[in-house]
Amino acid sequence: MRVAMVIDEQRLAQEQRLLNRLGVGLMAEGVHLVRIVPEGLPEQALDEGERRIALASRITTPMKALPWTRGAAVRRLLEALEDAPPDVLYLVGSATWGVGLDLAAALDRPALIDVCSPAQVAAAPKPEAQPYVAAYVAPCEGIGAQAIAPGVGIFGMSD
C-alpha cells in the first residue's frame, strides 16, 4: 500500500514527532510513505526527527494556493508521484484540504481528513461537497462523533 501524508506547517510544528512515529510505524508495516509538506519551511521546522524518517520521500508544495492557482501545484505533485502514486491520501491540518483534495481528485483516490478540534470538524470538507472524503481521523471519541457524516467512516482513539 502507498500512502501520501500531506501535512501543513502548523501541525508539523506542533506534532512532528508524533507524525514521524506514525510514519515509521506505517513503514514498518510495509507501507510506502510519501510526505508532502509546505514549501519554504524554515530549517528549524525540520528538526532531528526529519533524519529519523528520511527513508520516506518528502515532496514540497505550496499549501496556501488559491483554488484557481492550485492546478500548477497539483500538476507538479502528479509528476513527482508518477512512478508510485498513492492509494490513499492522509490530510493532516486544515491548510492541506485544498491541495490534498484536488490531488485526490486528480489521482481518483480517497482522502482521510484528520480533524483535531471541534472547530476543524465544523470547517472540514463534507462528503456531499467533496466525494473524495472517505473518512475522518479524530484523536478522541468526542471529536469523532461530531465528525461523523453519512457514508463516511471515522477512525478514533478506540479503533
Side-chain angles (χ1 to χ4, degrees), residues 24-158:
V24 168
L26 288 170
M27 289 185 300
E29 292 297 320
V31 172
H32 179 267
L33 180 67
V34 174
R35 295 168 301 133
I36 300 173
V37 299
E39 66 182 11
L41 285 175
E43 202 55 40
Q44 63 268 24
L46 303 170
D47 66 10
E48 76 280 349
E50 182 71 10
R51 289 190 297 274
R52 287 190 203 114
I53 194 161
L55 293 176
S57 301
R58 178 169 52 101
I59 302 170
T60 61
T61 193
M63 293 286 176
K64 296 181 182 174
L66 296 170
W68 52 88
T69 62
R70 279 197 299 256
V74 169
R75 282 189 297 279
R76 285 192 303 273
L77 289 170
L78 288 171
E79 288 174 14
L81 296 167
E82 188 174 43
D83 292 335
D87 298 307
V88 66
L89 289 88
Y90 177 42
L91 311 182
V92 182
S94 58
T96 67
W97 296 343
V99 73
L101 288 171
D102 284 359
L103 181 59
L107 291 166
D108 193 27
R109 298 292 196 269
L112 308 176
I113 306 288
D114 186 282
V115 290
C116 64
S117 70
Q120 273 198 335
V121 170
K126 304 297 183 255
E128 305 84 53
Q130 287 288 341
Y132 291 94
V133 174
Y136 297 105
V137 179
C140 66
E141 229 174 285
I143 291 173
Q146 295 173 3
I148 294 176
V152 174
I154 181 73
F155 299 99
M157 299 268 308
S158 61

